[in-house]
Structures are given as C-alpha cells and as structure tokens.
Amino acid sequence: MTFLLAKMTAAATASIVYSCTVFIVLFNVYVDSQDTDAQLCKMCQGTVRQDSPVWDFCLTKGHIRGRCCLANETSDVDAIIGLDLANCSISRVEHLYNSSTAFIIDLSNNPISNLSDFIFQGFSHLSQLLLPLKLECPGGNASWEKVEVKNNARICEGQKNICNQTVQMSWDCPENSFCSPNGPGFFECSCLHDFHGYKCMRQGEFPVFKVLGILTGSTVVGSSLLWFTQRRKAKNI
C-alpha cells in the first residue's frame, strides 16, 4: 500500500511539474515574441521613410511604429504587415523574428552579402521584397511573378503559389492532405477536414477536449492526492 501511494504521489508530482513547465514555456514564448517585435522595429534608427514603398503601402493599410507598419483593425494588434530596413548598414540577416505576416519588406541599400531562403519560410503573405542588387530573390525568379532592377535594388513582386492553381492535393503531399504555400519556394501539407495524425492517416477530428480533460483531471487528482499525503506527513511530524 505504501509503495502504491508513493508511486501515485510521484506520478502526481510529475503531472504538476509538466503542467507548470508547459505554462512557463508558453508564457516565455509570448514575452519573447513581444520583445523581438520591438527589437525588429527598432533595428534601425528613425521611422519608416516617407519616400519608401513601405510608407506608401502603410498609408492605407496600417500605422507606423519605428521601422514597422502594423496592421489596423485586426485581432493581432501587433501584426507586422510592412518592414522598412533599407539603408540601415545591415551586413547580415539571420532571421526576421515574427514578421511572417508582412506583405512588403525593404532590405535594399544594405551591405548584405548572403541571404538564406529559409529566412522567408512561412512568409506566405509576402508580395513585394526589395533586396540589395547583388542578391537573388528567395526561391529563385520562378517563385515570383515579376523580378526587376530599379533604383539600385532588386525587386521581387507577386509571390507565386508553388502548389497547383486549385490548391488541391499535390503529388508531394500524402493522401488525405492538401498543399498550401509557405513562403517563396516553400509549401506545406495540411490534413483535410476530418483527418489528422502522421501523414494524415487517422480519420476523425483530433480529440482536443478529451486530451485536455484527461490532463486536467489527472492534474487535479494528483494535486489533491499530493496535498493529502503531505498534510498527513506534516501532522505526523
């Protein structure tokens, strides 16, 4: 009986630790996302330049905060829809933080020697990208409707949908899934409705409420058991 009680106590402790860890991780991700957004918008001094394409875009689509154009009237009030980092003496770009919601990004007039295509993975909304002249458009010219050189900048316009035109199932995606664009030259496979799991082989919706119910129930029971056993130990002492 003592062994069983100790085992149940250990399981309850593990459940509590797991729940607390999940909460802390999610909270830190939220805080970090807010910090990185602020850092990105202040990466270069000043605000969006009035003669830039980002400025013209933002006049009707959003409002300016530093070098960012943020969306108006959206559930995500800090969604970055435009980013002006032109002429900022940036020599290296490793990531663009949480700006995957951007429609226009200007990186022109910077001494950037190399730019990985993976930086723009997930930027499915990006429709105009301005780069230093010596850089190529991410995903290659085939990933864009139009590529031109203007004012000492390479302009990539009209991101193409790498999936077929009807956005139906692609031969690169498993059965019961469909292809959707995921940035210049990238795509992702999403399960069709009523399918989930590895390669979308499981039919029926993922039992979210059931899983959460089991986790919550086990946490409550485990916490109660732990409190009861520790209380008894405290009384004995």
Side-chain angles (χ1 to χ4, degrees):
M1 182 66 179
T2 303
F3 173 76
L4 180 60
L5 186 61
K7 189 174 181 181
M8 293 176 66
T9 303
T13 303
S15 178
I16 294 171
V17 171
Y18 174 78
S19 300
C20 293
T21 301
V22 171
F23 174 78
I24 292 172
V25 169
L26 293 176
F27 178 77
N28 287 336
V29 168
Y30 172 78
V31 173
D32 289 343
S33 67
Q34 302 302 309
D35 292 341
T36 52
D37 284 350
Q39 181 180 350
L40 182 64
C41 297
K42 296 179 181 179
M43 184 179 291
C44 192
Q45 293 183 351
T47 61
V48 175
R49 299 163 301 126
Q50 295 188 14
D51 60 341
S52 72
V54 178
W55 174 273
D56 295 336
F57 172 82
C58 201
L59 284 178
T60 57
K61 303 293 184 180
H63 60 279
I64 293 173
R65 182 187 298 172
R67 286 284 183 146
C68 294
C69 175
L70 305 180
N72 286 332
E73 299 179 358
T74 176
S75 57
D76 186 357
V77 294
D78 290 327
I80 297 175
I81 59 174
L83 183 61
D84 176 21
L85 296 179
N87 197 23
C88 288
S89 300
I90 300 173
S91 59
R92 187 176 181 180
V93 178
E94 295 183 350
H95 45 68
L96 291 173
Y97 300 104
N98 298 320
S99 59
S100 59
T101 51
F103 289 85
I104 178 171
I105 297 177
D106 191 349
L107 295 172
S108 61
N109 296 317
N110 282 301
I112 304 173
S113 58
N114 190 26
L115 197 64
S116 172
D117 288 357
F118 288 98
I119 291 176
F120 298 99
Q121 186 174 10
F123 285 63
S124 57
H125 300 292
L126 188 61
S127 59
Q128 186 174 22
L129 176 64
L130 291 84
L131 298 171
L133 187 58
K134 58 184 177 182
L135 296 182
E136 298 296 326
C137 294
N141 291 355
S143 297
W144 302 88
E145 297 287 349
K146 181 180 179 182
V147 177
E148 64 175 345
V149 175
K150 185 178 181 181
N151 297 329
N152 201 34
R154 188 177 303 278
I155 305 175
C156 318
E157 290 187 278
Q159 182 184 161
K160 289 184 179 180
N161 186 347
I162 195 172
C163 304
N164 55 44
Q165 295 299 317
T166 55
V167 199
Q168 299 296 322
M169 185 169 55
S170 167
W171 66 271
D172 288 311
C173 290
E175 188 178 359
N176 303 322
S177 68
F178 63 94
C179 174
S180 57
N182 194 35
F186 293 97
F187 70 93
E188 62 180 354
C189 298
S190 303
C191 294
L192 293 171
H193 177 68
D194 207 34
F195 286 91
H196 67 278
Y198 176 68
K199 291 189 176 181
C200 305
M201 296 178 66
R202 295 185 179 181
Q203 191 169 8
E205 294 184 358
F206 183 76
V208 177
F209 295 105
K210 183 178 180 181
V211 172
L212 290 178
I214 294 174
L215 180 60
T216 303
S218 61
T219 301
V220 171
V221 172
S223 301
S224 301
L225 182 61
L226 182 61
W227 176 84
F228 178 74
T229 56
Q230 296 302 317
R231 187 167 177 265
R232 286 186 59 187
K233 288 182 180 180
K235 285 185 176 181
N236 292 333
I237 294 175

